[in-house]
Structure formats: structure tokens, C-alpha cells
Amino acid sequence: MTRTRRRRLMLVGGLFVGLAAAVALALTAFSQNLLYFYQPSEIVAGKVPPDTRFRIGGLVENGSVQRNHSDLIVRFKLADCEASVPVQFKGTLPDLFREGQGIVAYGKLDGRGAFVADEVLAKHDENYMSPDVAEAMKDKQGVSCMPTNMKPDMQAAR
């Protein structure tokens, strides 16, 4: 192998290692920023890995909202057709948050199976529901268990 060929081979090898390192760093950063969506029934079934930040969506159960005015902690249950998960949130809830409404929350599970939310998103009008939440409100046969006054607005999702 001549000296020129050896240099070219080292240059190509160096470029390949650099490209592989850049792709590995990009994939690592991408995977750390993914937020998966889970339904309450999936959380109850234990399908969520521990210490993972994710999104949860469903309906706020009627009669489940408990507010502690001294420390702004709000506890409620978020349900789909099959199960409900206790949720705890500290802070100010959106104005449109109320019982029986669809919400999406971001956060993690604590060690006791409760979801500790750091952000709660409520729908932006009375006719809209997130497509993720609308899908979560279908049972195993694909039949919606959502209250009739809350139909998913698929036009808004486009």
C-alpha cells in the first residue's frame, strides 16, 4: 500500500468514525426528548417504565377533584374506559380544567402508582378533545365510552 493510499484510507476511516459519533449523539438526544402517550389503563397494567417522563390523557372523573388551598396541590383521578389513575398537580390549573373534561398531563409516576404532573393541558373549547385522548376513550372493541357531549374534533387535529 502506497503512502497516498494509506492517507486516503485513514481519512475515510476518520470521516466514518466522525459520522457514526454524530449519528449516535443525535439519536441519544432524540430519544431523551421523546414523550410517549399512555392511557390510564396502560399505566394500571404496568406498561410504563419507572422514572420516565410521559404524557397521560383521559377524562377527569366526576367528584374526584380535591384542592388544597394552602399549598396549591390538586388531586384528581384521570380515567379511560377501563381504569383510572390518581394524579397530583401543584400549581395553577388551566381555566378550562373541570370534572368530566378531557385533559393531557405531562409528568412521572411516583413510587406508589400515582401520576405527578408538572404540566396540565385542558382543551381549548367545549367541543374539542385531543385525538390522543379521544383514542384513549375507546374500549377494546373500538366503541367510545366518552360522554356524548364530548365528540373528538378531528378537523382541529389536522
Side-chain angles (χ1 to χ4, degrees):
M1 183 177 291
T2 65
R3 188 175 181 176
T4 306
R5 284 186 171 182
R6 193 175 308 151
R7 283 187 190 167
R8 286 182 185 161
L9 183 62
M10 290 179 66
L11 179 65
V12 169
L15 288 174
F16 180 73
V17 169
L19 180 65
V23 168
L25 289 173
L27 289 176
T28 301
F30 180 70
S31 67
Q32 290 176 349
N33 291 325
L34 286 178
L35 278 177
Y36 291 104
F37 179 83
Y38 290 97
Q39 301 170 5
S41 58
E42 292 174 320
I43 294 169
V44 170
K47 295 182 179 178
V48 179
D51 294 331
T52 303
R53 189 170 188 263
F54 60 95
R55 297 180 298 147
I56 182 175
L59 295 180
V60 178
E61 276 190 1
N62 288 330
S64 68
V65 177
Q66 300 172 347
R67 297 175 190 268
N68 187 348
H69 295 288
S70 63
D71 57 6
L72 296 178
I73 292 179
V74 179
R75 291 178 175 84
F76 55 93
K77 289 186 177 183
L78 199 60
D80 62 3
C81 296
E82 301 170 14
S84 67
V85 172
V87 177
Q88 176 179 319
F89 176 71
K90 182 176 184 179
T92 305
L93 289 167
D95 291 338
L96 296 173
F97 177 88
R98 59 182 166 257
E99 295 177 350
Q101 298 295 321
I103 67 161
V104 174
Y106 295 77
K108 292 182 177 180
L109 286 177
D110 66 2
R112 298 169 296 183
F115 185 78
V116 179
D118 53 37
E119 184 177 2
V120 173
L121 304 174
K123 63 181 187 171
H124 57 77
D125 70 21
E126 65 186 35
N127 296 320
Y128 175 77
M129 178 176 285
S130 164
D132 291 334
V133 175
E135 187 65 31
M137 297 308 300
K138 291 182 180 175
D139 62 11
K140 291 178 181 174
Q141 288 79 32
V143 178
S144 176
C145 62
M146 187 171 25
T148 55
N149 64 341
M150 300 173 61
K151 298 291 183 194
D153 186 3
M154 300 311 281
Q155 295 294 330
R158 295 181 187 163

